[in-house]
Amino acid sequence: MSHALTSRQRNIKAATVVDLGVLYSTISAGMLLVRRYLTGRGIDQEFADRYGSAFGRTAAKIYRTSNGAEPRRAWSNVSGKWRRVNGYLPVEAEILDEAFATYRRTAEYIAPQSAPEIFPADAYLAAAGDMPAAFEKVTGELLREVERRDGSEAVTDFVTERIDDLQRWQRAVDRYAETMTNDVGQAARTAVPGLAWDDPRQQTWMKAERGAEDVLAAREGLNAAYVDWAFDLAGTVEVPDVPRPSAPVIPEGCRIPSCDGTWHYDATCTAQLGEVQFQGEDVSLPAELVADESGPYIVAFAYNMTSLNIRREMRDRPAAYAFAAQLRRLADAIDDASAHLPA
């Protein structure tokens, strides 16, 4: 028998009497193993045994990306059995730290103080303001109160303003949803489960998460209030009647009101609407409502007995105001008289 064979047989016999636990522990001494690392971070053994493999795969993936190679191999006693697992040197602890923050189940154990300083829900709450509470007050009775106080047109203005508020609120919800898809949002989402229930950030988070539902509820509430008001489902609204102008009095035998009968001999009725005075007492621009056998019409004409120079100079503000007042009165009179003309 050769010397080499004899030496090999001695090594095999020696190996059969070596305690495997001692052997594997010696081989893995000084290395960071996944389950031992997790329990060192405060995670209980049951969790480490259940999710250690998945956490280990996350760490291995990070190691391959960073180093372009496979992690080292070591031995670990898992549920009473020795298994080959990945091992990491102490200087490679940052690989496990990154995996701890990346793997979803272990990320839940991150302390609340590690939550990002920029909290997307805060931005949403600042944009939404008190809209949820404000829309809860919008009812049919509120719209009736607006009508009693300011008239029917005010209800339309009020509802239009609330629709604008809904659009701004929806934009805040959309911005929040978009933010939650980027790195900052994802970091916030993983940090929130670690916050205490009474933590203000937890409450803000809950409000932001139900933002879309709140907008929908507010929209439906506004619609219901408007329908309630429009069909007066809760009762009648007493709106004071606005005094209406009395019907024009037309003298007997005349075709238009205010006719003075001057042109009756010509089968024509006339009523002066007003006039604008120009320079000189004999220069003016009168306007009249006229009605003959063909029907009513309005006529404006220049009247000048002595001069073709029809003008009016205004050299100070009072003079300008007085002329403007004449024009407004004449314009109002023409506008009122137009009601007698065919459309």
Side-chain angles (χ1 to χ4, degrees), residues 45 87 148 217 239 295 309:
Q45 188 64 52
R148 282 190 288 266
V239 180
N309 185 20

Side-chain angles (χ1 to χ4, degrees), residues 37 86 177 226 316 336:
Y37 169 84
N86 294 328
Y226 187 78
D316 53 45
D336 292 339

Side-chain angles (χ1 to χ4, degrees), residues 22-336:
V22 175
L23 176 62
Y24 293 154
S25 297
T26 301
I27 294 174
S28 305
M31 299 191 73
L32 298 176
L33 306 182
V34 165
R35 287 168 176 78
R36 193 181 306 160
Y37 169 84
L38 290 176
T39 55
R41 291 290 299 261
I43 293 180
D44 59 82
Q45 188 64 52
E46 181 181 358
F47 182 98
D49 290 340
R50 183 174 182 181
Y51 299 110
S53 296
F55 173 79
R57 289 193 293 272
T58 300
K61 182 178 180 180
I62 295 174
Y63 185 92
R64 296 187 196 101
T65 302
S66 300
N67 298 282
E70 292 294 324
R72 295 172 179 80
R73 303 294 285 176
W75 289 93
S76 178
N77 191 320
V78 181
S79 301
K81 296 182 179 180
W82 288 96
R83 296 179 181 177
R84 289 291 301 276
V85 297
N86 294 328
Y88 302 88
L89 298 176
V91 295
E92 298 170 337
E94 61 183 16
I95 298 293
L96 297 175
D97 293 340
E98 184 176 350
F100 193 89
T102 302
Y103 180 51
R104 181 174 62 85
R105 295 188 182 279
T106 54
E108 296 175 355
Y109 281 84
I110 296 179
Q113 58 267 26
S114 62
E117 294 182 2
I118 302 176
F119 207 55
D122 289 334
Y124 163 77
L125 203 61
D130 62 347
M131 287 189 186
F135 272 89
E136 288 180 359
K137 301 177 182 177
V138 179
T139 62
E141 181 56 35
L142 176 63
L143 298 186
R144 282 186 282 275
E145 177 60 31
V146 172
E147 184 179 24
R148 282 190 288 266
R149 185 179 65 246
D150 302 318
S152 300
E153 292 298 326
V155 175
T156 301
D157 295 339
F158 179 88
V159 172
T160 300
E161 291 173 0
R162 299 296 79 73
I163 292 175
D164 293 340
D165 289 341
L166 280 173
Q167 292 175 344
R168 288 194 295 272
W169 191 2
Q170 183 63 58
R171 287 194 292 270
V173 169
D174 293 341
R175 285 195 298 270
Y176 170 76
E178 182 179 356
T179 302
M180 293 308 294
T181 63
N182 60 30
D183 293 341
V184 172
Q186 290 300 319
R189 192 180 295 280
T190 57
V192 166
L195 299 175
W197 180 257
D198 57 351
D199 190 302
R201 289 172 296 176
Q202 181 74 261
Q203 301 301 315
T204 302
W205 163 271
M206 294 174 61
K207 293 178 181 178
E209 284 293 291
R210 65 169 182 263
E213 298 178 5
D214 288 344
V215 170
L216 180 60
R219 193 182 304 277
E220 293 176 348
L222 178 62
N223 181 70
Y226 187 78
V227 171
D228 184 358
W229 168 80
F231 291 94
D232 198 19
L233 302 181
T236 58
V237 177
E238 296 182 1
V239 180
D241 290 334
V242 177
R244 292 173 173 77
S246 58
V249 177
I250 300 177
E252 184 177 354
C254 293
R255 300 186 179 95
I256 57 175
S258 303
C259 175
D260 58 10
T262 302
W263 296 94
H264 277 185
Y265 67 88
D266 198 22
T268 301
C269 294
T270 61
Q272 185 170 345
L273 302 177
E275 66 179 14
V276 175
Q277 291 291 331
F278 289 92
Q279 205 74 34
E281 296 182 356
D282 58 348
V283 180
S284 62
L285 176 64
E288 295 178 348
L289 173 62
V290 182
D292 56 20
E293 295 178 351
S294 64
Y297 59 92
I298 296 174
V299 60
F301 53 92
Y303 178 78
N304 180 17
M305 296 285 294
T306 61
S307 172
L308 298 177
N309 185 20
I310 300 176
R311 55 187 281 116
R312 176 166 177 164
E313 293 183 1
M314 293 154 282
R315 298 179 179 273
D316 53 45
R317 290 183 180 179
Y321 292 158
F323 184 68
Q326 284 186 324
L327 290 175
R328 279 192 290 270
R329 285 194 295 270
L330 180 58
D332 290 341
I334 293 175
D335 189 41
D336 292 339

